Amino acid sequence: MDAAAALNEIAFWLERELAPTFKVKAFRKAAGIIAGLELGELEARARDGRLKRTKGIGDRTLEVIREALDGDVPGYLAGLRSRGSHPLAEGGRELLGLLRGDLHSHSDWSDGGSPIELMVDAAQLLGREYLALTDHSPRLTIANGLSTERLEQQLDVVARINARRNGDFRLLRGIEVDILEDGTLDQTPELLERLDVVVASAHSKLRSDKRTMTRRMLNAIADPHTDVLGHCTGRLVQGPRGTRPESEFDAELVFAACAEHDVAVEINSRPERQDPPDRLIQLALDAGCLFSIDSDAHAPGQLDFLQYGAERAAANGVPADRIITTWPLERLLAWAASGN
C-alpha cells in the first residue's frame, strides 16, 4: 500500500483514540516527508539507509514505510484498524447514520493540528456530505485566532478546495466566533455575512456571575449572524486540561432565546466536554430548540467523535428532524441564510 497513506491513516486512528499529540505528529510529519518522493526514490532511500538517517523518520515510522513498500498492510496499522472496528459509542447508531455533516471543526490555521485538506479527506472518508471549517476568531490569541485578513485568505482556500472536489461534498465557510464580554461577536459583521455557518462560543470569563453570563449569551444569540450556540456551559469533565465547572446562566431564558431566534444548540461531541449536560438538553428540548451535533474536531481522526454526540442525543430523545446536521445541504444553507 502507499506508505504516506499508511502513515496518515495511522495518525487518523490515533487521533480517534485521543493518543498523545506528539505521537500523532510523528506519523503526520513522516508522511509529509515522504509524500513528495517518487516510489523508486523512496525505495532506494529505504534500502541504502538514507531514509533511516532522515530527520523526522523514527524507528516505528520507518518500519511502517518498509512494510508498506513490501506490499503489506503494516502491522501497526492493522492493529489500529482492528481496534477501530469497534464503535466509540454503543448507543445512537441509527441517529449517527442520519447525520449528513458537521458544523464545528478546526484546522492548523488556528489551534487544530492538520491542514484543511486532510480534514476534508477524513470527513469524506467518514461519509460526511459537508463540513464547516470553523477556526477561531482573533481575540482568542491562545488558539491562534484568525484576523480579518487571515480569514479572508482562508475563504479563498475553501473556494479552491471546493472547486477541486466532487459535487457530493462541500466544505462550508465558517468560524467559531468568540462571544465577547458584552455579548458582541469577535469579527466584523461584513465578514460574518460572507460565511455559511457561524458558531458562537464563550471562551473567556466563564466564571462570571449568572446575570452577567446570561446577558452576554442573550446578546450573542440575538445577533442575526449567529447560527449555532457552541458548547454552552464551557465545562470540562475529563482530559489533559483537567476539569472545569459549568458556567452559570439562566438556561430557560437562554434556550427560549435560541428558539425565538432559530439558533441551534450545539451538542458538542468531544468526550472531555459532553456539553450541554443531559438536564440542559432536556430544557432545550422543552423550549423548542434546534440542535447541531458537532465534533469540535481539532484533528482528522476526531471527526469521528460524532458517535458520542449521537449517543447522547438519542439517549435524551432528541428528534432527528430537530438536529440540523441531519438536514440536506440545501435545507441547511437556506436556514442559515435566513438570518435566523
Side-chain angles (χ1 to χ4, degrees):
M1 67 180 298
D2 180 83
L7 292 166
N8 275 321
E9 186 180 344
I10 286 170
F12 172 89
W13 292 115
L14 290 173
E15 289 159 349
R16 185 178 181 269
E17 294 181 350
L18 287 174
T21 301
F22 76 88
K23 182 181 292 188
V24 176
K25 284 186 174 180
F27 288 96
R28 293 274 184 218
K29 183 177 181 179
I33 290 170
I34 69 170
L37 297 176
E38 296 289 341
L39 178 59
E41 176 66 15
L42 180 59
E43 290 174 334
R45 294 188 184 194
R47 284 195 306 269
D48 64 21
R50 281 181 293 161
L51 195 60
K52 184 175 183 178
R53 296 191 298 271
T54 300
K55 184 177 181 181
I57 303 294
D59 291 342
R60 179 55 64 88
T61 54
L62 180 62
E63 178 185 26
V64 168
I65 294 168
R66 284 174 169 167
E67 290 177 357
L69 289 173
D70 288 340
D72 300 322
V73 175
Y76 190 56
L77 175 56
L80 287 169
R81 283 178 173 178
S82 177
R83 295 206 300 270
S85 65
H86 302 288
L88 292 174
E90 294 301 325
R93 306 304 296 173
E94 181 177 351
L95 181 55
L96 180 67
L98 297 176
L99 295 180
R100 295 172 180 262
D102 186 344
L103 301 184
H104 190 166
S105 70
H106 299 274
S107 74
D108 60 2
W109 281 61
S110 65
D111 63 341
S114 294
I116 300 170
E117 285 275 15
L118 285 181
M119 298 296 290
V120 170
D121 288 343
Q124 286 196 278
L125 178 69
L126 291 167
R128 310 284 180 254
E129 297 174 19
Y130 52 85
L131 173 71
L133 178 63
T134 55
D135 281 319
H136 290 284
S137 60
R139 295 285 184 94
L140 205 63
T141 54
I142 193 172
N144 193 27
L146 273 60
S147 65
T148 297
E149 293 75 21
R150 291 181 66 221
L151 180 54
E152 288 176 335
Q153 293 169 11
Q154 187 181 82
L155 296 184
D156 292 337
V157 172
V158 171
R160 290 196 295 271
I161 289 173
N162 282 327
R164 295 195 297 267
R165 294 277 160 173
N166 296 328
D168 57 353
F169 181 87
R170 175 91 164 267
L171 180 62
L172 302 180
R173 301 165 299 180
I175 190 172
E176 184 181 15
V177 64
D178 206 30
I179 300 173
L180 303 179
E181 290 181 54
D182 61 357
T184 57
L185 304 184
D186 180 32
Q187 192 48 271
T188 66
E190 294 78 16
L191 197 47
L192 292 176
E193 193 68 32
R194 295 174 56 190
L195 304 180
D196 297 311
V197 175
V198 173
V199 177
S201 308
H203 293 96
S204 60
K205 300 294 181 70
L206 297 180
R207 303 309 301 147
S208 297
D209 64 83
K210 183 175 182 178
R211 183 176 179 180
T212 298
M213 185 60 76
T214 300
R215 183 171 59 248
R216 178 183 180 185
M217 296 174 74
L218 291 177
N219 286 343
I221 292 164
D223 189 302
H225 297 102
T226 300
D227 298 310
V228 178
L229 178 63
H231 49 69
C232 64
T233 77
R235 74 174 186 172
L236 294 174
V237 296
Q238 63 183 50
R241 289 187 289 172
T243 61
R244 182 168 62 212
E246 301 170 23
S247 295
E248 294 184 6
F249 57 90
D250 189 322
E252 291 186 0
L253 282 179
V254 165
F255 294 144
C258 285
E260 177 186 354
H261 294 283
D262 212 16
V263 169
V265 175
E266 180 181 70
I267 297 178
N268 190 288
S269 300
R270 293 197 67 86
E272 72 268 30
R273 286 194 181 276
Q274 301 177 40
D275 199 1
D278 290 347
R279 74 179 195 287
L280 294 190
I281 292 178
Q282 292 296 322
L283 273 178
L285 265 176
D286 292 343
C289 293
L290 295 172
F291 296 86
S292 182
I293 299 177
D294 298 323
S295 66
D296 193 359
H298 286 64
Q302 295 175 8
L303 289 166
D304 210 15
F305 286 172
L306 288 188
Q307 293 189 45
Y308 295 124
E311 180 182 51
R312 296 191 63 232
N316 281 282
V318 181
D321 196 55
R322 282 172 63 179
I323 300 169
I324 62 174
T325 41
T326 68
W327 294 355
L329 179 60
E330 294 76 14
R331 180 183 178 188
L332 175 78
L333 292 178
W335 167 79
S338 68
N340 303 334

